[in-house]
Amino acid sequence: MIKNEKQYKISKKLLGEVIEKIGNTKTEKDYNIKRKLVAESLEDFKEDIENEIREYEKLKSGKSAVLKERSLSSLPDIIVEYKIANHLTHKEFAKILGLKEQQLQRYEAESFKTVSFQNLMKFLDLINLDLKIKETVIKPIRRNKTTA
């Protein structure tokens, strides 16, 4: 996931380099099976980069639904998406969350994996995002009776 403008610019540059490399690989004289596999691998990588760039651009344009239904494990992504969709700098967003800018950058670099659940919930509250837990039916586990 592209998390900021710097990563976006790096991804755009990388995309250009990958496209160029694909073109070079396909036009080489000895286009054998090995080169074909390299080209296919580069094509897959190119698609991944393009998807990430599209998602970032969609978030920045406001055309993405930040509040779509997700699993609990994607809470950190929602925080990053909120920052992008609202065109907030690290400094502005850190102030909203009551963090130092450097701490926010560390959290983002680690995809918020070191943030406690309590602080994650606090961040969601500070940016006025509500968390709703979908009802599910819990089925009991059936245990096999063993005979002795």
Side-chain angles (χ1 to χ4, degrees):
M1 173 182 201
I2 297 173
K3 299 175 184 170
N4 55 51
E5 197 64 24
K6 183 178 179 181
Q7 289 179 354
Y8 172 71
K9 289 176 183 174
I10 290 169
S11 296
K12 291 284 277 190
K13 183 180 177 189
L14 180 60
L15 179 61
E17 292 169 0
V18 170
I19 290 170
E20 184 180 334
K21 182 72 175 165
I22 291 169
N24 292 343
T25 303
K26 288 182 176 180
T27 57
E28 290 177 5
K29 290 179 186 176
D30 59 342
Y31 189 70
N32 56 25
I33 189 72
K34 183 178 175 185
R35 295 220 187 274
K36 184 177 181 181
L37 290 172
V38 168
E40 287 176 8
S41 177
L42 287 169
E43 285 286 347
D44 288 344
F45 185 52
K46 179 182 89 98
E47 287 177 26
D48 291 344
I49 297 169
E50 287 172 335
N51 289 336
E52 287 192 15
I53 289 171
R54 260 193 306 279
E55 186 60 33
Y56 184 81
E57 289 172 342
K58 197 171 160 186
L59 278 168
K60 278 196 74 157
S61 71
K63 294 178 184 172
S64 179
V66 175
L67 300 175
K68 62 186 175 186
E69 189 176 297
R70 316 244 187 116
S71 70
L72 199 57
S73 64
S74 65
L75 282 179
D77 292 340
I78 294 170
I79 294 172
V80 174
E81 289 174 12
Y82 177 89
K83 181 191 78 160
I84 295 166
N86 286 284
H87 306 279
L88 297 169
T89 64
H90 270 93
K91 188 175 186 174
E92 293 165 334
F93 197 47
K95 186 175 181 181
I96 290 169
L97 297 180
L99 299 170
K100 292 185 178 182
E101 187 177 354
Q102 189 176 20
Q103 183 63 48
L104 175 61
Q105 288 172 338
R106 273 196 298 270
Y107 283 158
E108 274 192 0
E110 316 166 323
S111 298
F112 287 85
K113 287 184 174 132
T114 59
V115 178
S116 69
F117 185 74
Q118 181 180 2
N119 280 337
L120 205 53
M121 297 308 295
K122 178 181 140 192
F123 296 160
L124 291 173
D125 187 46
L126 288 168
I127 59 178
N128 295 318
L129 291 178
D130 292 326
L131 177 67
K132 294 183 181 181
I133 298 175
K134 189 176 171 181
E135 271 187 48
T136 58
V137 177
I138 300 172
K139 296 180 182 179
I141 298 172
R142 293 187 180 203
R143 299 174 194 234
N144 292 340
K145 293 183 179 178
T146 57
T147 55

